[in-house]
Amino acid sequence: MTDRYAVFGNPVVHSKSPQIHAAFACQTGQDLDYGLVEAPLGGFADALADFVTAGGRGCNITVPFKIDAFEAATETRPGAEQAGASNCLKLQDGRIIAENFDGIGLLKDIEQNLSTPLAGKRVLLLGAGGATRGVLVPFLSASPAQVTIANRTASKAADLAQGFSAHGPIEGIGYNALAGQAFDIVVNGTSASLNGDRLPLPDGLFAPGALAYEMVYAKGLTPFLNQARAGGVTNLADGVGMLVEQAAEAFAWWRGIRPETAAVIRDITVPLT
Protein backbone atom coordinates (compact mmCIF):
# COMPACT_ATOMS: atom_id res chain seq x y z
CA MET A 1 0.00 0.00 0.00
CA THR A 2 1.32 3.42 -0.94
CA ASP A 3 2.09 5.59 2.10
CA ARG A 4 0.82 9.16 2.09
CA TYR A 5 2.82 12.25 3.03
CA ALA A 6 2.34 15.98 2.38
CA VAL A 7 3.55 19.48 3.06
CA PHE A 8 1.20 21.84 4.90
CA GLY A 9 1.34 25.59 4.36
CA ASN A 10 -0.55 28.68 3.26
CA PRO A 11 0.20 29.44 0.51
CA VAL A 12 1.82 26.17 -0.50
CA VAL A 13 1.35 25.80 -4.26
CA HIS A 14 4.90 27.05 -4.86
CA SER A 15 6.48 24.37 -2.67
CA LYS A 16 9.24 22.21 -4.14
CA SER A 17 8.72 19.54 -1.50
CA PRO A 18 6.64 17.17 -3.69
CA GLN A 19 9.34 17.27 -6.37
CA ILE A 20 12.07 16.68 -3.80
CA HIS A 21 10.37 13.76 -2.07
CA ALA A 22 9.36 12.17 -5.37
CA ALA A 23 13.04 12.21 -6.34
CA PHE A 24 14.02 10.72 -2.99
CA ALA A 25 11.40 7.96 -3.33
CA CYS A 26 12.58 7.09 -6.83
CA GLN A 27 16.19 7.05 -5.70
CA THR A 28 15.55 4.79 -2.69
CA GLY A 29 12.76 2.60 -4.06
CA GLN A 30 10.21 3.75 -1.48
CA ASP A 31 6.48 3.49 -2.24
CA LEU A 32 4.94 6.79 -1.21
CA ASP A 33 2.73 9.60 -2.44
CA TYR A 34 3.59 13.17 -1.44
CA GLY A 35 1.15 16.02 -1.94
CA LEU A 36 0.22 19.58 -0.97
CA VAL A 37 -2.22 20.63 1.75
CA GLU A 38 -3.11 24.32 1.83
CA ALA A 39 -4.72 24.54 5.24
CA PRO A 40 -6.87 27.61 5.94
CA LEU A 41 -5.41 30.19 8.28
CA GLY A 42 -6.53 29.23 11.75
CA GLY A 43 -7.51 25.78 10.50
CA PHE A 44 -4.30 23.77 10.75
CA ALA A 45 -5.51 21.43 13.51
CA ASP A 46 -8.62 20.43 11.56
CA ALA A 47 -6.65 19.94 8.33
CA LEU A 48 -4.13 17.77 10.16
CA ALA A 49 -6.92 15.70 11.73
CA ASP A 50 -8.40 15.08 8.28
CA PHE A 51 -4.98 14.04 6.99
CA VAL A 52 -4.50 11.62 9.89
CA THR A 53 -7.98 10.14 9.36
CA ALA A 54 -7.16 9.61 5.68
CA GLY A 55 -4.13 7.53 6.66
CA GLY A 56 -1.35 10.12 6.42
CA ARG A 57 2.01 8.92 7.71
CA GLY A 58 3.88 12.19 8.02
CA CYS A 59 4.10 15.78 6.88
CA ASN A 60 6.42 18.69 6.46
CA ILE A 61 5.28 22.06 7.75
CA THR A 62 6.02 25.44 6.23
CA VAL A 63 4.85 28.96 7.06
CA PRO A 64 2.69 29.92 8.81
CA PHE A 65 2.00 26.65 10.65
CA LYS A 66 5.25 25.63 12.36
CA ILE A 67 4.08 26.71 15.80
CA ASP A 68 0.61 25.20 15.18
CA ALA A 69 2.29 21.89 14.33
CA PHE A 70 4.35 22.01 17.51
CA GLU A 71 1.24 22.68 19.57
CA ALA A 72 -0.70 19.89 17.84
CA ALA A 73 1.91 17.25 18.67
CA THR A 74 1.40 14.60 21.30
CA GLU A 75 5.17 14.07 21.54
CA THR A 76 8.08 16.41 20.81
CA ARG A 77 11.67 15.60 19.94
CA PRO A 78 14.67 17.76 20.93
CA GLY A 79 14.93 19.76 17.72
CA ALA A 80 11.30 20.85 17.96
CA GLU A 81 11.55 21.57 21.68
CA GLN A 82 14.63 23.75 21.22
CA ALA A 83 13.04 25.67 18.35
CA GLY A 84 9.59 25.92 19.92
CA ALA A 85 8.27 25.00 16.49
CA SER A 86 8.03 22.00 14.19
CA ASN A 87 8.74 21.66 10.47
CA CYS A 88 8.08 17.90 10.42
CA LEU A 89 5.55 15.52 11.94
CA LYS A 90 5.55 11.74 12.09
CA LEU A 91 2.11 10.15 12.44
CA GLN A 92 2.50 6.74 14.04
CA ASP A 93 0.20 4.51 16.11
CA GLY A 94 -2.11 7.40 16.99
CA ARG A 95 0.81 9.63 17.99
CA ILE A 96 1.74 12.97 16.45
CA ILE A 97 5.49 13.32 16.90
CA ALA A 98 7.08 16.71 16.22
CA GLU A 99 10.64 17.42 15.10
CA ASN A 100 12.44 20.35 13.51
CA PHE A 101 15.15 19.75 10.90
CA ASP A 102 15.63 23.34 9.72
CA GLY A 103 18.79 23.88 11.74
CA ILE A 104 20.54 20.65 10.82
CA GLY A 105 19.51 21.17 7.18
CA LEU A 106 21.10 24.61 7.09
CA LEU A 107 24.21 23.43 8.92
CA LYS A 108 24.72 20.52 6.51
CA ASP A 109 24.29 22.78 3.51
CA ILE A 110 26.83 25.30 4.77
CA GLU A 111 29.41 22.87 6.11
CA GLN A 112 29.16 20.02 3.61
CA ASN A 113 27.73 21.39 0.37
CA LEU A 114 29.36 24.81 0.60
CA SER A 115 32.54 23.58 2.34
CA THR A 116 32.37 26.29 5.00
CA PRO A 117 32.84 24.86 8.52
CA LEU A 118 31.53 27.00 11.35
CA ALA A 119 34.27 26.06 13.80
CA GLY A 120 36.16 29.14 14.90
CA LYS A 121 34.07 31.46 12.69
CA ARG A 122 32.19 34.64 13.59
CA VAL A 123 28.58 33.99 12.56
CA LEU A 124 25.85 36.60 12.18
CA LEU A 125 22.16 35.69 12.04
CA LEU A 126 19.88 38.47 10.82
CA GLY A 127 16.45 38.42 12.42
CA ALA A 128 15.19 37.07 15.74
CA GLY A 129 12.13 35.15 14.57
CA GLY A 130 11.39 31.46 14.19
CA ALA A 131 13.82 30.92 11.31
CA THR A 132 16.72 32.04 13.48
CA ARG A 133 15.50 30.28 16.61
CA GLY A 134 15.35 26.97 14.77
CA VAL A 135 19.03 26.98 13.78
CA LEU A 136 20.67 28.20 16.98
CA VAL A 137 21.42 24.89 18.70
CA PRO A 138 22.88 23.19 15.60
CA PHE A 139 24.97 26.29 14.89
CA LEU A 140 26.27 26.57 18.44
CA SER A 141 27.07 22.85 18.48
CA ALA A 142 29.43 23.43 15.53
CA SER A 143 31.88 25.38 17.76
CA PRO A 144 31.82 28.86 16.20
CA ALA A 145 33.91 31.57 17.82
CA GLN A 146 30.75 33.64 18.27
CA VAL A 147 27.12 33.69 17.12
CA THR A 148 25.53 37.12 16.96
CA ILE A 149 21.82 37.71 16.43
CA ALA A 150 20.94 41.13 15.02
CA ASN A 151 17.37 42.41 14.89
CA ARG A 152 15.54 45.71 14.42
CA THR A 153 14.29 45.35 17.99
CA ALA A 154 17.48 44.78 19.97
CA SER A 155 15.67 43.51 23.06
CA LYS A 156 14.12 40.66 21.09
CA ALA A 157 17.55 39.58 19.85
CA ALA A 158 19.00 39.87 23.35
CA ASP A 159 16.19 37.80 24.87
CA LEU A 160 16.62 35.10 22.23
CA ALA A 161 20.37 34.97 22.80
CA GLN A 162 19.89 34.74 26.55
CA GLY A 163 17.60 31.76 26.09
CA PHE A 164 20.34 29.85 24.25
CA SER A 165 23.38 31.07 26.20
CA ALA A 166 23.93 27.66 27.79
CA HIS A 167 24.69 26.19 24.35
CA GLY A 168 27.65 28.38 23.43
CA PRO A 169 28.96 31.92 22.84
CA ILE A 170 26.02 34.00 21.68
CA GLU A 171 24.85 37.61 21.84
CA GLY A 172 21.83 39.57 20.64
CA ILE A 173 22.05 43.16 19.42
CA GLY A 174 20.30 45.76 17.26
CA TYR A 175 21.37 46.52 13.70
CA ASN A 176 22.92 49.78 14.83
CA ALA A 177 25.43 47.87 16.96
CA LEU A 178 26.85 46.06 13.90
CA ALA A 179 28.97 49.04 12.83
CA GLY A 180 32.66 48.23 13.06
CA GLN A 181 32.14 44.45 13.21
CA ALA A 182 32.92 41.89 10.49
CA PHE A 183 31.63 38.34 10.16
CA ASP A 184 32.75 35.22 8.32
CA ILE A 185 29.23 33.84 7.78
CA VAL A 186 26.14 36.04 7.51
CA VAL A 187 22.74 34.36 7.29
CA ASN A 188 19.57 36.28 6.50
CA GLY A 189 16.70 34.76 8.46
CA THR A 190 14.34 37.72 8.01
CA SER A 191 11.44 38.05 5.59
CA ALA A 192 12.88 41.28 4.15
CA SER A 193 13.90 39.70 0.85
CA LEU A 194 10.39 38.35 0.28
CA ASN A 195 9.16 41.92 0.39
CA GLY A 196 12.01 43.35 -1.68
CA ASP A 197 13.34 45.29 1.33
CA ARG A 198 16.94 46.15 2.10
CA LEU A 199 18.28 45.58 5.59
CA PRO A 200 20.12 48.38 7.44
CA LEU A 201 23.54 46.73 7.18
CA PRO A 202 26.70 48.81 7.68
CA ASP A 203 29.66 48.87 5.34
CA GLY A 204 32.44 46.43 6.20
CA LEU A 205 30.07 43.83 7.65
CA PHE A 206 31.49 40.96 5.57
CA ALA A 207 34.97 39.71 6.41
CA PRO A 208 37.32 38.75 3.53
CA GLY A 209 36.14 35.44 2.06
CA ALA A 210 32.80 35.64 3.86
CA LEU A 211 29.76 33.54 2.98
CA ALA A 212 26.45 35.38 2.55
CA TYR A 213 23.52 32.96 2.90
CA GLU A 214 19.91 33.80 2.12
CA MET A 215 17.37 31.42 3.68
CA VAL A 216 14.84 32.34 0.99
CA TYR A 217 15.26 30.14 -2.08
CA ALA A 218 14.59 30.33 -5.81
CA LYS A 219 14.39 34.14 -5.78
CA GLY A 220 17.70 34.83 -7.53
CA LEU A 221 19.73 37.74 -6.22
CA THR A 222 17.62 39.03 -3.35
CA PRO A 223 18.18 42.49 -1.83
CA PHE A 224 20.34 40.88 0.88
CA LEU A 225 22.51 39.03 -1.62
CA ASN A 226 22.84 42.18 -3.68
CA GLN A 227 23.95 44.04 -0.56
CA ALA A 228 26.53 41.33 0.10
CA ARG A 229 27.80 41.41 -3.47
CA ALA A 230 28.11 45.19 -3.30
CA GLY A 231 30.20 44.63 -0.17
CA GLY A 232 32.66 42.49 -2.12
CA VAL A 233 31.26 39.06 -1.29
CA THR A 234 31.61 36.45 -4.03
CA ASN A 235 30.53 33.44 -1.95
CA LEU A 236 26.73 33.74 -2.21
CA ALA A 237 24.08 31.08 -1.55
CA ASP A 238 20.33 30.84 -1.18
CA GLY A 239 18.26 28.37 0.83
CA VAL A 240 17.75 25.65 -1.78
CA GLY A 241 20.38 23.42 -0.19
CA MET A 242 18.86 23.93 3.24
CA LEU A 243 15.46 22.98 1.82
CA VAL A 244 16.74 19.74 0.32
CA GLU A 245 18.89 18.78 3.30
CA GLN A 246 16.07 19.23 5.83
CA ALA A 247 13.82 17.23 3.50
CA ALA A 248 16.39 14.43 3.45
CA GLU A 249 16.44 14.40 7.24
CA ALA A 250 12.65 14.15 7.32
CA PHE A 251 12.66 11.38 4.71
CA ALA A 252 15.23 9.42 6.72
CA TRP A 253 13.18 9.83 9.90
CA TRP A 254 10.03 8.61 8.18
CA ARG A 255 11.48 5.85 5.99
CA GLY A 256 14.68 4.73 7.72
CA ILE A 257 16.94 5.50 4.75
CA ARG A 258 18.68 8.78 3.97
CA PRO A 259 18.71 9.76 0.29
CA GLU A 260 21.53 11.48 -1.54
CA THR A 261 20.95 15.19 -1.98
CA ALA A 262 23.51 16.55 -4.48
CA ALA A 263 21.59 15.76 -7.67
CA VAL A 264 18.30 17.03 -6.23
CA ILE A 265 19.89 20.32 -5.18
CA ARG A 266 21.37 20.70 -8.64
CA ASP A 267 18.03 19.99 -10.34
CA ILE A 268 16.03 22.65 -8.46
CA THR A 269 18.68 25.34 -8.10
CA VAL A 270 17.83 28.72 -9.62
CA PRO A 271 20.94 30.66 -10.71
CA LEU A 272 21.76 33.68 -8.58
CA THR A 273 21.44 36.28 -11.33
Side-chain angles (χ1 to χ4, degrees):
M1 181 177 177
T2 301
D3 294 326
R4 186 180 176 200
Y5 298 85
V7 56
F8 281 64
N10 187 322
V12 76
V13 67
H14 65 282
S15 176
K16 300 289 187 183
S17 292
Q19 179 182 346
I20 292 168
H21 284 277
F24 288 165
C26 182
Q27 180 192 128
T28 59
Q30 297 289 300
D31 183 12
L32 60 86
D33 174 74
Y34 190 106
L36 300 169
V37 177
E38 184 163 308
L41 299 178
F44 174 80
D46 289 341
L48 178 64
D50 290 343
F51 185 71
V52 172
T53 299
R57 295 287 303 275
C59 50
N60 292 118
I61 313 297
T62 188
V63 293
F65 297 127
K66 293 185 180 183
I67 294 176
D68 299 81
F70 180 78
E71 293 175 345
T74 58
E75 299 178 26
T76 55
R77 287 168 55 98
E81 292 172 5
Q82 291 157 358
S86 172
N87 82 330
C88 187
L89 298 176
K90 181 188 283 189
L91 311 173
Q92 185 176 54
D93 302 325
R95 298 177 293 158
I96 302 173
I97 311 168
E99 183 56 287
N100 193 313
F101 295 116
D102 283 337
I104 191 63
L106 177 57
L107 184 65
K108 285 193 173 186
D109 190 36
I110 291 175
E111 292 204 317
Q112 297 180 16
N113 301 333
L114 301 175
S115 302
T116 307
L118 268 67
K121 301 290 179 60
R122 288 177 53 81
V123 179
L124 173 63
L125 294 168
L126 300 171
T132 292
R133 183 183 183 91
V135 307
L136 285 175
V137 171
F139 268 35
L140 290 166
S141 70
S143 302
Q146 175 77 30
V147 171
T148 297
I149 304 167
N151 192 61
R152 291 184 187 274
T153 304
S155 60
K156 186 175 181 181
D159 289 346
L160 184 57
Q162 178 61 36
F164 287 82
S165 59
H167 295 277
I170 186 171
E171 65 172 353
I173 60 176
Y175 288 129
N176 60 345
L178 290 171
Q181 299 194 60
F183 297 87
D184 305 299
I185 299 170
V186 182
V187 178
N188 181 23
T190 76
S191 61
S193 291
L194 291 174
N195 303 319
D197 297 332
R198 287 172 59 87
L199 293 167
L201 305 180
D203 293 337
L205 184 70
F206 299 93
L211 167 67
Y213 194 104
E214 173 70 81
M215 283 196 190
V216 170
Y217 67 92
K219 297 296 184 181
L221 282 174
T222 64
F224 165 71
L225 293 178
N226 271 316
Q227 286 176 275
R229 189 169 66 170
V233 179
T234 59
N235 193 8
L236 307 174
D238 72 0
V240 65
M242 174 185 178
L243 174 70
V244 176
E245 293 295 347
Q246 65 80 27
E249 295 296 319
F251 192 93
W253 186 39
W254 293 331
R255 310 299 297 183
I257 180 171
R258 193 181 195 282
E260 296 295 326
T261 57
V264 181
I265 292 172
R266 184 178 63 248
D267 288 345
I268 67 172
T269 292
V270 173
L272 296 178
T273 58

